[in-house]
Amino acid sequence: TSNQIAIKAAVTREKGGAFQLEDMTLRAPREDEVLVRIVATGMCHTDLIVRDQLYPVPLPAVLGHEGAGVVEAVGPAVHSLEVGDHVVLSYAHCGDCRPCDAGYASYCDEFFARNFSGAGPDGQQALRDASGQPVHDHFFGQSSFATYALSRENNAVRVSREAPLELLGPLGCGIQTGAGAVINTLGVTPGSRFCAFGAGAVGLSAVMAARVAGATTIIAVDMIDSRLELALALGATHVINAGKESVVERVRELSDGGVNFALESTGRPEVLRQGVDALGGLGVLGVVGAPALGTEAAFDVNDLLLGGKSIRGIVEGDSVARRFIPQLVELHMQGRFPFDRLVKFYDFADIEQAAADSEKGITLKPVLRLS
Ligand code: NAD
Ligand code: ZN
């Protein structure tokens, strides 16, 4: 086989610019890399904040980090995956540092470099555009806004062939983030009170997971009524429109003085403050919403101290993707985690429409079909 694979990819050439489909070439897998034919890939808010350069991935770049597909070729050192396996691609991690050893790969010492530097661990790109110029890649260890992507063996998660592959890509980021925050990090308990600040793809995944975990008060807060209606259908017991109601007061009222667990997924510092204020004694606020680098937030120190409250930053729901994603697939196949209700499919050629619909709040989780 040739060393270069002809692919089609959506490239972001400038800050805030359009995703443009171009013919490109990708080199063949080496060592522990796998080549994946992308069947479908989700679009996450993080793709858009990188396009807009709130996170400084160098451009031009191919983004996309919720890929699902079929293994087409494997490097010589790959032993746990085979050609034909169905895989969901998740975040990159080195696999050798202390956090990785401890089972917390989303806090890998090299997390930023491996996921956001626009190059592989060797500092090189595997992608070339039609004029032969390198294009930044390895975004989240995949760059899956493309018909083919290169990943490493350790971030390609094999999934059941019974599962609907074209739906599964978002499990690799946004959905495992919300669900993992609730199940892995916060450890939401049966009978507890939980509030999701933000009912986007991440927040609604948290709502579904809180129901699986047995929380009996599940509150969702957002500004978009259609999202709040969906939250109720997915297991929320109460919803609050932040544009119309006084959020903290209302949460405290609905939760008998404050929630045990909360998750901030709006990326807004003033909402993070509301999250801390709405906790009851010993409550924990998980923070997953990502504002621009350098953003600061305020909270009342004595309220935190006297209430025994905690604030915990969370990357990718603390999930060990190879264990957690198959669990979410199983819950989905049992009808207990209906994340398909967040998804709307688009043809790859309509990627700009998908981005626009996501930003307008029309679509919760766009998934692009590639093959
Ligand atoms: P999203 O845009 O679908 O969801 C955000 C929601 O917040 C929207 O529904 C919006 O209406 C709502 N919102 C905005 N202002 C609000 C306010 N004042 N009060 C209440 N709700 C408000 O995005 P998403 O895909 O769900 O991602 C959520 C965030 O999580 C993004 O910042 C994304 O970058 C981040 N993220 C983080 C991780 C991680 O590992 N930490 C992983 C994936 C995504
Ligand atoms: Zn993401």
Side-chain angles (χ1 to χ4, degrees):
T1 63
S2 126
N3 191 44
Q4 297 293 324
I5 302 121
I7 73 167
K8 218 173 242 333
V11 61
T12 300
R13 289 204 170 270
E14 58 191 28
K15 176 177 173 176
F19 295 104
Q20 303 171 30
L21 296 200
E22 295 185 15
D23 291 319
M24 299 203 182
T25 57
L26 186 62
R27 67 160 172 74
R30 297 172 181 159
E31 305 293 331
D32 65 342
E33 291 174 338
V34 295
L35 176 71
V36 178
R37 175 172 59 82
I38 301 294
V39 168
T41 185
M43 179 180 277
C44 168
H45 195 76
T46 308
D47 294 305
L48 304 178
I49 68 177
V50 169
R51 175 199 63 187
D52 298 340
Q53 296 281 280
L54 273 64
Y55 271 23
V57 174
L59 302 179
V62 171
L63 307 176
H65 64 285
E66 294 183 340
V70 179
V71 174
E72 286 279 307
V74 298
V78 170
H79 46 78
S80 67
L81 291 171
E82 291 174 9
V83 170
D85 279 345
H86 289 191
V87 290
V88 169
L89 302 180
S90 192
Y91 61 87
H93 55 287
C94 77
D96 288 320
C97 66
R98 276 205 292 180
C100 281
D101 278 345
Y104 287 91
S106 61
Y107 309 94
C108 171
D109 287 346
E110 297 180 15
F111 191 87
F112 210 85
R114 297 232 175 200
N115 291 287
F116 294 103
S117 70
D122 58 358
Q124 306 289 311
Q125 285 82 28
L127 259 185
R128 297 281 181 278
D129 70 11
S131 61
Q133 291 301 308
V135 174
H136 293 98
D137 63 1
H138 285 82
F139 183 60
F140 263 87
Q142 53 187 283
S143 290
S144 53
F145 287 161
T147 50
Y148 289 83
L150 272 184
S151 134
R152 282 181 73 206
E153 182 178 20
N154 76 0
N155 64 301
V157 179
R158 183 171 44 232
V159 291
S160 163
R161 291 192 194 199
E162 314 286 298
L165 185 57
E166 63 175 10
L167 193 62
L168 304 185
L171 295 176
C173 178
I175 292 180
Q176 83 173 346
T177 292
V182 163
I183 291 172
N184 302 323
T185 316
L186 297 174
V188 168
T189 46
S192 63
R193 307 180 298 268
F194 170 76
C195 181
F197 290 85
V202 172
L204 289 173
S205 300
V207 164
M208 287 185 283
R211 174 152 83 170
V212 169
T216 45
T217 299
I218 302 175
I219 305 167
V221 186
D222 206 289
M223 322 274 280
I224 304 175
D225 283 324
S226 59
R227 296 190 171 192
L228 296 174
E229 276 159 36
L230 184 56
L232 288 169
L234 295 174
T237 55
H238 306 85
V239 294
I240 299 171
N241 185 319
K244 298 179 187 156
E245 294 179 75
S246 160
V247 175
V248 174
E249 223 170 280
R250 192 78 185 109
V251 175
R252 296 188 70 89
E253 214 172 85
L254 292 169
S255 60
D256 194 21
V259 289
N260 306 108
F261 306 101
L263 189 67
E264 158 23 53
S265 69
T266 71
R268 293 171 183 270
E270 70 277 15
V271 179
L272 188 152
R273 170 64 191 261
Q274 292 175 348
V276 180
D277 291 347
L279 291 174
L282 297 172
V284 187
L285 171 71
V287 178
V288 296
L293 292 186
T295 302
E296 299 188 352
F299 57 86
D300 180 325
V301 178
N302 281 302
D303 171 55
L304 188 88
L305 181 161
L306 296 168
K309 300 181 178 183
S310 319
I311 305 173
R312 164 72 142 84
I314 307 170
V315 178
E316 298 292 324
D318 286 4
S319 68
V320 176
R322 283 184 160 197
R323 295 194 191 288
F324 195 56
I325 289 175
Q327 288 172 6
L328 293 177
V329 169
E330 194 65 31
L331 282 166
H332 177 257
M333 298 206 310
Q334 290 184 2
R336 300 162 70 194
F337 190 73
F339 73 96
D340 53 295
R341 299 197 54 184
L342 314 186
V343 167
K344 181 173 175 194
F345 286 103
Y346 293 80
D347 289 336
F348 191 28
D350 298 329
I351 182 169
E352 274 295 295
Q353 188 66 48
D357 287 357
S358 168
E359 288 189 296
K360 284 188 213 130
I362 296 172
T363 301
L364 266 156
K365 176 53 76 181
V367 173
L368 307 168
R369 280 197 171 106
L370 291 115
S371 57

